[in-house]
């Protein structure tokens, strides 16, 4: 029975309720004097309290996904394999890569999500539950991988698909991406409507060392989160799926801490990710109680912290050739002021678009309004690589290099540093 399975959660809750009921029922018999009665009362209190705490802890872990399985909870993870396994067959998927860098996993909560593809994969697509193994970092991160219907269709059998790496907030996890933001469900609808090109989407959490918030940073002497996202994850995906090799096919996407990570990854590693979506993300990374020391001490640590301040980078370093979409709200979002500073600081060759809501707080109700236009936007930034001369959707006239051949290309703008996508009413 999996740590995040619904049946385990129900069983523990029922057990806790039964313990409370038994304590109430037996308490009159335990109200007598004597050692046995006192020990009985103490035992009843302890068992009841432990059962309630376990039920609450399990519910919290299921919601926030600090630990995805029993081995992760107990610290019994195997050493990460160092070899890359190559998938075989026309429709290679994670199912035949049990010893590779992408490994099949249990449901990880996927069985509780509604609206996922049901039916033939070449008609509706598929969502796989996986474990992503870091060859360099030795980290093992849970994930969901969405494969569009075209991935399984005969005419696309030799195509490599663009990739979105979608990162949840902290302390949330991949379940939030599938259940609350409905990333694979929205992507499937947009692809079916011709508003988004066929894209492989890998959904992951931002931390690689739970419960610590690693903020996609290579911590001196600690977890190497940036290396995981910029080297290990792309290598793992390329070993298991038909995905693009060129950076123009890769984009990062996230909300809250995941949005912060997305901007950091693209601006610091433009040869890995050429576009980023940040919904309510921050523009600098600071130490707090959940992160511990991310940068180290002394002058070197201070310099590392400055280099993770995106406004400092725009002012002091050459602008990277990437595209970014940032989202905030005029009322209700603490990052609105920094977002406007970021928009004004961006300069060529970097381009920045925005979704600015009139009002919206730091919660899923806000991000659900933004996720559909954000998915459409990022799809327009990604190329659709090809390995052969198979038919590929043509790029529209006037599209910028690095933008894909999907319907609805992003509008061009004479102002290279700033463009805005207004979203004044609920989307999708």
């Amino acid at each position: 029975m999996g740590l995040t399975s619904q049946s385990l959660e129900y069983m523990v809750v029922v057990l806790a309720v039964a313990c409370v009921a038994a304590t109430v029922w037996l308490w009159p018999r335990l109200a007598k004097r004597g050692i046995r009665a006192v020990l009985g009362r103490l035992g009843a209190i302890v068992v009841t309290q432990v059962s309630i705490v376990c039920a609450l802890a399990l519910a919290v872990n299921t919601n926030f996904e600090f630990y995805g399985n029993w081995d992760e909870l107990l610290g019994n993870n195997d050493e990460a394999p160092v070899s890359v396994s190559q998938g075989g067959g026309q429709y290679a998927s994670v199912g035949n890569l049990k010893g590779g860098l992408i490994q099949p996993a249990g449901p990880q909560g996927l069985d509780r999500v509604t609206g996922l593809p049901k039916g033939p994969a070449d008609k509706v697509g598929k969502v796989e539950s996986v474990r992503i193994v870091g060859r360099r970092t030795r980290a093992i991160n849970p994930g969901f991988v969405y494969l569009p219907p075209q991935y399984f269709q005969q005419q696309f059998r030799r195509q490599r698909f663009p990739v979105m790496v979608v990162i949840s907030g902290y302390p949330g996890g991949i379940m939030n991406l599938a259940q609350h933001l409905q990333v694979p469900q929205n992507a499937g609808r947009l692809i079916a409507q011709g508003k988004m090109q066929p894209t492989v989407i890998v959904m992951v959490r931002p931390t690689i060392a739970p419960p610590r918030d690693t903020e996609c940073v290579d911590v001196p002497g600690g977890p190497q989160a940036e290396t995981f996202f910029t080297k290990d994850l792309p290598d793992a995906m390329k070993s298991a799926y038909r995905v693009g090799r060129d950076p123009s096919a890769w984009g990062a996407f996230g909300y809250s801490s995941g949005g912060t990570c997305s901007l950091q990854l693209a601006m610091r590693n433009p040869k890995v990710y050429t576009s980023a979506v940040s919904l309510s993300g921050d523009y600098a990374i600071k130490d707090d109680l959940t992160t511990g020391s991310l940068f180290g001490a002394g002058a070197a640590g201070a310099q590392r912290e400055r280099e993770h301040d995106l406004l400092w980078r725009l002012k002091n370093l050459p602008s990277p050739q990437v595209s970014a979409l940032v989202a905030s709200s005029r009322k209700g979002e603490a990052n609105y002021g920094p977002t406007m500073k970021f928009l004004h600081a961006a300069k060529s060759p970097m381009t920045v678009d925005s979704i600015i809501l009139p009002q919206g707080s730091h919660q899923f109700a806000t991000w659900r309004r933004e996720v559909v236009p954000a998915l459409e936007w990022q799809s327009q930034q990604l190329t659709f690589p090809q390995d052969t001369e198979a038919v590929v959707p043509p790029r529209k006239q006037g599209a910028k290099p690095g933008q894909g051949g999907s319907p609805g290309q992003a509008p061009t703008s004479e102002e290279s540093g700033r463009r805005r996508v207004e979203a004044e009413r609920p989307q999708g």
Side-chain angles (χ1 to χ4, degrees):
M1 194 176 295
L3 180 61
T4 60
S5 68
Q6 198 170 30
S7 56
L8 177 63
E9 186 177 356
Y10 288 160
M11 185 183 73
V12 174
V13 169
V14 170
L15 179 62
V17 172
C19 287
V20 172
T23 299
V24 172
W25 179 259
L26 295 174
W27 197 258
R29 300 183 184 182
L30 301 174
K32 302 176 182 179
R33 294 183 179 181
I35 295 297
R36 294 180 64 182
V38 171
L39 291 178
R41 291 195 295 270
L42 289 175
I45 292 172
V46 169
V47 171
T48 301
Q49 294 296 319
V50 168
S51 65
I52 293 173
V53 169
C54 287
L56 291 174
L58 191 62
V60 169
N61 183 71
T62 300
N63 186 56
F64 293 111
E65 296 180 45
F66 291 110
Y67 302 100
N69 53 60
W70 292 107
D71 284 335
E72 198 172 85
L73 175 65
L74 300 174
N76 295 329
N77 287 325
D78 295 331
E79 287 284 309
V82 297
S83 61
V84 178
S85 298
Q86 298 295 328
Q90 180 175 339
Y91 304 140
S93 70
V94 71
N96 55 20
L97 291 172
K98 293 184 179 180
L101 301 179
I102 300 281
Q103 301 175 358
Q108 301 185 127
L110 204 59
D111 52 341
R112 302 200 303 272
V113 179
T114 60
L116 294 176
K118 291 183 179 180
D122 62 343
K123 302 295 184 183
V124 297
K126 182 181 180 183
V127 179
E128 297 186 332
S129 177
V130 302
R131 298 162 73 239
I132 303 170
V133 180
R135 186 174 58 176
R136 299 169 183 82
T137 62
R138 304 280 179 178
I140 300 178
N141 221 15
F144 298 146
V145 177
Y146 167 76
L147 302 171
Q150 291 80 2
Y151 188 90
F152 302 95
Q153 294 173 3
Q154 178 72 15
Q155 64 267 36
F156 293 95
R157 69 188 184 278
R158 299 180 68 180
Q159 295 288 152
R160 296 192 180 276
F161 290 78
V163 184
M164 291 186 192
V165 177
V166 183
I167 309 171
S168 70
Y170 176 88
I174 52 177
M175 268 288 291
N176 290 338
L177 296 170
Q179 188 172 41
H180 296 302
L181 287 192
Q182 297 197 324
V183 170
Q185 299 93 318
N186 282 315
R189 284 191 289 269
L190 291 172
I191 291 171
Q193 295 167 4
K195 297 179 180 179
M196 177 176 168
Q197 62 182 322
T199 304
V200 172
I201 300 176
V202 52
M203 291 158 272
V204 290
R205 62 191 183 191
T207 178
I208 66 167
R212 184 179 184 181
D213 182 10
T214 48
E215 290 280 353
C216 297
V217 171
D218 279 351
V219 181
Q224 303 295 288
E226 185 173 18
T227 297
F228 177 85
F229 280 98
T230 57
K231 293 184 171 63
D232 284 347
L233 187 149
D235 284 353
M237 290 296 294
K238 291 171 186 176
S239 76
Y241 299 101
R242 300 196 317 275
V243 295
R245 265 49 178 174
D246 192 84
S248 64
W250 285 74
F253 184 121
Y255 70 88
S256 191
S257 294
T260 304
C261 281
S262 297
L263 283 178
Q264 294 278 341
L265 292 172
M267 291 185 65
R268 289 174 54 83
N269 304 273
K271 293 184 178 181
V272 179
Y273 299 98
T274 54
S275 69
V277 171
S278 175
L279 309 182
S280 304
D282 294 323
Y283 302 93
I285 295 176
K286 303 291 184 182
D287 291 344
D288 60 31
L289 292 177
T290 64
T291 65
S293 177
L294 292 174
F295 305 107
Q303 179 60 25
R304 280 191 288 268
E305 184 171 353
R306 280 192 294 272
E307 291 175 355
H308 283 81
D309 184 329
L310 301 185
L311 292 174
W312 182 91
R313 294 184 71 89
L314 289 173
K315 182 178 180 181
N316 295 279
L317 299 176
S319 185
Q321 189 168 351
V322 297
S323 300
L325 173 67
V326 294
S328 187
S329 304
R330 294 188 182 93
K331 293 182 180 180
E333 279 280 21
N335 79 331
Y336 176 68
T339 296
M340 301 312 294
K341 291 180 181 178
F342 182 80
L343 290 169
H344 286 89
K347 55 184 180 293
S348 183
M350 183 178 180
T351 60
V352 183
D353 294 344
S354 67
I355 297 175
I356 304 297
L357 299 177
Q359 185 171 342
S361 55
H362 200 80
Q363 59 173 307
F364 286 106
T366 300
W367 302 322
R368 279 193 291 267
R369 299 175 62 184
E370 300 164 343
V371 66
V372 169
L375 286 170
E376 291 185 50
W377 178 91
Q378 186 154 73
S379 178
Q380 294 164 2
Q381 315 306 311
L382 304 177
T383 59
F384 195 160
Q386 61 184 77
D387 288 341
T388 66
E389 294 182 358
V391 177
V392 180
R395 184 194 304 166
K396 287 189 176 182
Q397 186 176 3
K400 295 182 179 181
Q403 291 182 324
S406 62
Q409 295 290 341
T412 59
S413 172
E414 295 180 359
E415 186 178 7
S416 62
R418 301 190 305 274
R419 294 171 295 170
R420 177 168 299 172
V421 179
E422 292 288 348
E424 299 293 343
R425 56 181 181 273
Q427 303 286 332

